[in-house]
Amino acid sequence: MMALSEAISLYIEHKQALGYRYRTEGAILKSFCKSLGEGPITAIEAKAVHNFINGQGPVTENNLKKYKVLSGFYKFVLTRGFVKVSPLPSSIPQKTIPDFVPYIYSREEIKKLIANVHIVCTSRMSIEENILRTLLLLLYGSGLRIGEALALLNRDVDILQECLFIRETKFFKSRFVPMGKDLTDILSEYIEKRHNYYSSSANAPFFYFKNGLPLSQSAVRNFFRRLRSSAGIKRDGDSRHQPRIHDIRYPNLN
């Protein structure tokens, strides 16, 4: 009799063999296994699956994601005869809160953010003022996702051709992103300054902490929350829905 953990491992390996990264989905399945405990896959009850999918709070996009991932998993185990009946609920959970609406920064708000960078990037902080300022301007001027910007290597920034090369990000696709003259000039000046202190190797990260390690998303998000507060930019309502650094890219996409 196959254990739940074994079936999940087989399914993740199957999806990755098909070319999917399956990191987020794999994490959901591992959380499912941890929640229900180790045991045979045939012993899983519908109530336990329902509780895992719906949780205790309002139904959100995350609940729908859980349902979708488990639906794929149970199709896999059913077709291979690991189980005879799926314990999944017969209906998809219905969201009880509205979809999140991105915050659209005005030009004045972007200027406020840039003007307040020096307040959060003091000499004691781990990120230099010039690096955070350049990162914000890059997001605003290019429409890149924060993960894409932080994944840039020196060789991905072509000042002469005025373009960025984004490597295998969402949907495993690479692409070129053109830059306007203003953004090209900003990055050119940044490169000239940073190469005096950090590696100019083609394979070195484009954005660094002061200690030379690549910037992390978690650190940048924490810095940005302090920066947004310092600039006095906020949205009315639930604090969970306050403007994010990710939202800086949206004016460029309109």
Side-chain angles (χ1 to χ4, degrees):
M1 190 174 295
M2 180 168 288
L4 174 61
S5 59
E6 184 181 356
I8 286 175
S9 294
L10 287 174
Y11 181 58
I12 293 175
E13 290 174 4
H14 167 72
K15 297 297 286 187
Q16 291 176 339
L18 293 176
Y20 297 96
R21 291 184 183 177
Y22 223 66
R23 293 174 183 170
T24 302
E25 296 85 350
I28 290 174
L29 289 171
K30 290 175 182 177
S31 175
F32 176 64
C33 184
K34 183 178 180 180
S35 175
L36 273 67
E38 188 59 72
I41 189 173
T42 53
I44 296 173
E45 298 180 353
K47 183 178 180 180
V49 177
H50 177 275
N51 290 340
F52 174 78
I53 292 174
N54 287 279
Q56 297 180 344
V59 177
T60 66
E61 193 68 35
N62 186 52
N63 302 93
L64 303 182
K65 181 71 172 179
K66 288 181 180 179
Y67 184 91
K68 182 178 179 181
V69 171
L70 287 176
S71 178
F73 170 67
Y74 272 101
K75 286 179 182 178
F76 175 83
V77 295
L78 278 167
T79 57
R80 284 157 179 77
F82 299 155
V83 296
K84 294 182 178 180
V85 179
S86 170
L88 275 177
S90 58
S91 60
I92 299 175
Q94 298 299 310
K95 287 192 290 186
T96 55
I97 60 175
D99 290 330
F100 177 78
V101 178
Y103 186 85
I104 305 300
Y105 292 91
S106 66
R107 286 181 177 271
E108 290 69 27
E109 288 174 327
I110 295 295
K111 290 178 180 178
K112 283 183 180 179
L113 289 172
I114 299 302
N116 279 268
V117 167
H118 73 281
I119 296 176
V120 298
C121 292
T122 63
S123 59
R124 297 180 301 167
M125 296 295 104
S126 59
I127 300 179
E128 289 185 2
E129 178 182 341
N130 182 48
I131 290 178
L132 183 58
R133 180 186 296 110
T134 303
L135 175 61
L136 295 176
L137 291 172
L138 172 62
L139 296 174
Y140 184 70
S142 67
L144 293 185
R145 301 176 180 88
I146 179 63
E148 293 173 338
L150 296 183
L152 286 172
L153 305 177
N154 287 336
R155 62 188 168 122
D156 298 328
V157 182
D158 192 330
I159 297 299
L160 293 179
Q161 298 297 322
E162 298 186 348
C163 70
L164 305 167
F165 183 56
I166 311 303
R167 301 175 181 277
E168 297 182 2
T169 54
K170 199 169 185 180
F171 308 120
F172 302 96
K173 294 182 179 180
S174 298
R175 70 187 192 279
F176 286 99
V177 175
M179 298 187 293
K181 184 180 184 305
D182 289 344
L183 180 57
T184 300
D185 290 343
I186 289 169
L187 295 189
S188 179
E189 181 180 352
Y190 168 76
I191 291 171
E192 185 176 349
K193 289 181 178 179
R194 70 183 288 282
H195 281 181
N196 292 328
Y197 305 98
Y198 302 110
S199 174
S200 59
S201 167
N203 292 321
F206 194 64
F207 292 109
Y208 283 90
F209 286 110
K210 286 181 179 178
N211 62 7
L213 295 176
L215 286 187
S216 67
Q217 286 198 45
S218 59
V220 170
R221 292 182 197 281
N222 287 334
F223 266 81
F224 183 77
R225 280 192 285 270
R226 295 200 294 270
L227 175 61
R228 187 196 65 224
S229 177
S230 176
I233 299 172
K234 63 180 181 178
R235 161 189 255 159
D236 294 334
D238 196 324
S239 61
R240 293 182 306 162
H241 294 165
Q242 291 304 316
R244 309 164 300 170
I245 189 170
H246 183 76
D247 297 328
I248 291 178
R249 66 190 293 258
Y250 287 111
N252 186 276
L253 302 180
N254 290 339

